[in-house]
Amino acid sequence: MPEFPTSIGTSDPTTIRLLGHDLAGELLGQVGFGELAFWLAARRRPSAGEVRLFEAVLVSLTDHGFTPTAIAARLTYYSAPDSVQGALAAGILGGGSRFLGVTEDTGRWLHRVLEGLDDAESRSDDDWDAVALEAVRAARAAGEKVPGIGHPVHKEADPRVPVMFAIAEDSGSLGAHLRLFAAVGRVHEQVLGRRLPLNGAGVAGAALADLGLPIELLRAFALLARTAGLIGHLAEERESPIAPAVYAEVDRNAVYVPLPDAGSA
């Protein structure tokens, strides 16, 4: 018989094992969901400080009001109330370069800048500023955006950012990605000509990267957090629906615009 190796979970008629532990006897009631999610992705059990920062990231990304992802979930639930999975999927599928995907984009960008950088732990703020300035200039020269700065709502400052930095430092998890991200916040105005706030999705990506989680999976954690928020939106939609009004507002105000005359074939 072929074998299919896994370090995640297995079961037999009497037991369920997860990450090598008896689910019923060793994990239920003893391991929190955040710790378990970290453990599954990192393939190692996190410290208490790492769990604290990781769960802070999840809380910070849970909801941001009537974003396109939340509206999509609510409209899909209105259209198909028998398919809660469809509504959740509709919201999750909207996680991309403008919403939620910034978490991954920022973590990837910071990680790329840090590759090959020696003695990261011993660098001063001035050293980090020099590294950040060079990276921002390189991004600008290449016509690329620097991810993690600017926000459509929080024009002056994102209230999540200083709290996340404080939790990272207090939990012993403030590493090179967060230090570089802070430096980007200090120096980018020299290159871009205007000051933009560091945003919550960006600091979340930096924190997740400092926690040693797989860079390729950073968006997955943003989606994990937002799933809880979408469940909240669907629960509220059941009691105080806004989807019918959104649908009616758009549908009743649709204006037909003739196609431009492309000439005869």
Side-chain angles (χ1 to χ4, degrees), residues 155-176:
K155 300 295 186 181
E156 298 298 324
D158 188 320
R160 297 170 290 184
V161 172
V163 178
M164 291 294 296
F165 272 107
I167 292 173
E169 184 164 18
D170 186 58
S171 64
S173 302
L174 183 65

Side-chain angles (χ1 to χ4, degrees), residues 25-204:
E26 298 179 273
L27 300 181
L28 293 184
Q30 301 179 53
V31 175
F33 181 71
E35 180 180 359
L36 181 61
F38 187 112
W39 195 347
L40 285 164
R43 316 298 293 275
R44 64 175 179 84
R45 191 165 189 172
S47 68
E50 288 174 324
V51 172
R52 184 183 175 208
L53 180 59
F54 179 67
E55 292 190 341
V57 169
L58 296 182
V59 171
S60 76
L61 297 174
T62 295
D63 183 64
H64 210 288
F66 284 127
T67 59
T69 58
I71 294 171
R74 284 179 179 249
L75 286 170
T76 303
Y77 189 65
Y78 173 56
S79 180
D82 54 310
S83 178
V84 68
Q85 71 272 23
L88 286 173
I92 291 172
L93 288 172
S97 59
R98 292 184 177 175
F99 291 87
L100 296 177
V102 176
T103 297
E104 178 185 314
D105 295 342
T106 305
R108 281 181 177 272
W109 187 84
L110 294 169
H111 199 68
R112 189 169 65 246
V113 173
L114 290 171
E115 285 181 335
L117 198 64
D118 296 326
D119 303 322
E121 296 303 321
S122 62
R123 289 176 178 265
S124 66
D125 284 350
D126 288 342
D127 293 333
W128 283 118
D129 286 356
V131 173
L133 190 59
E134 181 180 352
V136 174
R137 282 173 174 161
R140 182 66 178 270
E144 301 173 351
K145 289 185 177 180
V146 178
I149 60 175
H151 196 280
V153 177
H154 308 301
K155 300 295 186 181
E156 298 298 324
D158 188 320
R160 297 170 290 184
V161 172
V163 178
M164 291 294 296
F165 272 107
I167 292 173
E169 184 164 18
D170 186 58
S171 64
S173 302
L174 183 65
H177 296 85
L178 280 166
R179 293 183 188 279
L180 176 57
F181 190 56
V184 169
R186 293 191 295 266
V187 307
H188 71 270
E189 187 176 9
Q190 299 177 43
V191 180
L192 305 183
R194 57 176 178 149
R195 175 160 293 280
L196 298 169
L198 298 177
N199 61 50
V203 75

